[in-house]
Amino acid sequence: MNDTPIKNIPVLWEAIRLRSQAIGFGMPSDLQTGSLLATLAASKPEGRFLELGTGTGLSTTWILSGMDVGSHLDSLDAEEKWVQVARDFLGNDSRVKFIVQDGVEFLTQALPAQYDFIFADTWPGKFTHLDLALGLLKPGGLYVIDDLFPQPNWPEGHAPKVPRLIEDLESRSDFHCTKLGWSTGLMVVTKKR
Ligand SMILES: C[S@@+](CC[C@H](N)C(=O)[O-])C[C@H]1O[C@@H](n2cnc3c(N)ncnc32)[C@H](O)[C@@H]1O
């Protein structure tokens, strides 16, 4: 198997990538992660989805491509300038609501057990406030994270947090975890029923 070619790239993905590059967005997710997000998203018909870390909408467009018409996505980022790009390209899709808010504030206020799928691609809900994020999952819900292999854009002092996060997730008896040595280093976690 050659797992490099990625098929079914969402139509707006390349345009968002170009705009992201033009405005200096330096934290884009890659095609492999996007492909997995779409595949997993399609397993949750009529699902409620949460994306922590919209960025400019690259991963958002993949999640939307996997979601069915009855699903809904809340996509959150603290930076208006990045979310505006996502809005420009994806704002016409009534299945998505863009939220500009700090992740900690959002996680603290959100109702528990309401999401079928969470892509956690920022600090709150991943490297901090993990309990709050996992508490938002319904039984059977999926929690997906990337960037578990060393990345050039990691800030100083970030590296030791990654093995701690993985150990924390794997120590939880109420979750199934799978690590994937693919893309930027992925983990798929399911809340047991
Ligand atoms: C890795 S990027 C997201 C990339 C995006 N998912 C993609 O596929 O390209 C992380 C994002 O987290 C946002 N962010 C950083 N700190 C945050 C916070 N405290 N609350 C919410 N978002 C935050 C940044 O603005 C940035 O857009």
Side-chain angles (χ1 to χ4, degrees):
M1 180 178 75
N2 178 358
D3 62 5
T4 309
I6 297 295
K7 308 279 185 191
N8 301 318
I9 298 171
V11 279
L12 292 170
W13 186 89
E14 180 60 11
I16 299 175
R17 188 191 70 78
L18 289 172
R19 176 83 72 84
S20 306
Q21 203 174 40
I23 65 168
F25 180 70
M27 306 165 268
S29 57
D30 68 10
L31 287 175
Q32 282 84 1
T33 293
S35 170
L36 180 69
L37 290 172
T39 299
L40 295 177
S43 74
K44 299 290 183 191
E46 309 239 322
R48 286 198 34 104
F49 291 72
L50 173 64
E51 177 176 50
L52 296 168
T54 312
T56 51
L58 289 163
S59 45
T60 318
T61 188
W62 278 104
I63 296 169
L64 286 168
S65 79
M67 285 165 45
D68 72 0
V69 286
S71 293
H72 182 84
L73 168 65
D74 292 329
S75 183
L76 171 134
D77 201 288
E79 286 289 342
E80 171 64 36
K81 66 179 175 218
W82 306 140
V83 177
Q84 189 53 51
V85 176
R87 262 198 222 104
D88 287 349
F89 287 97
L90 305 170
N92 284 339
D93 190 325
S94 60
R95 296 172 302 161
V96 60
K97 179 169 92 179
F98 291 108
I99 302 165
V100 178
Q101 189 178 11
D102 180 73
V104 176
E105 201 179 284
F106 176 86
L107 289 168
T108 311
Q109 294 167 358
L111 293 175
Q114 59 165 313
Y115 291 107
D116 299 287
F117 180 107
I118 298 175
F119 177 47
D121 198 17
T122 186
W123 281 263
K126 184 177 177 186
F127 295 105
T128 71
H129 304 83
L130 181 62
D131 286 335
L132 284 179
L134 295 176
L136 301 186
L137 274 184
K138 293 180 191 170
L142 294 168
Y143 173 86
V144 184
I145 51 178
D146 67 350
D147 293 341
L148 301 176
F149 288 146
Q151 301 299 312
N153 59 2
W154 278 1
E156 203 169 326
H158 182 69
K161 296 179 185 166
V162 175
R164 285 205 292 268
L165 169 63
I166 295 168
E167 197 183 330
D168 183 341
L169 285 166
E170 290 185 321
S171 71
R172 293 169 186 257
S173 58
D174 47 345
F175 290 87
H176 290 289
C177 300
T178 295
K179 292 171 284 193
L180 298 170
W182 190 56
S183 175
T184 57
L186 301 164
M187 203 159 166
V188 180
V189 176
T190 314
K191 190 172 206 162
K192 291 183 184 172
R193 289 182 186 276

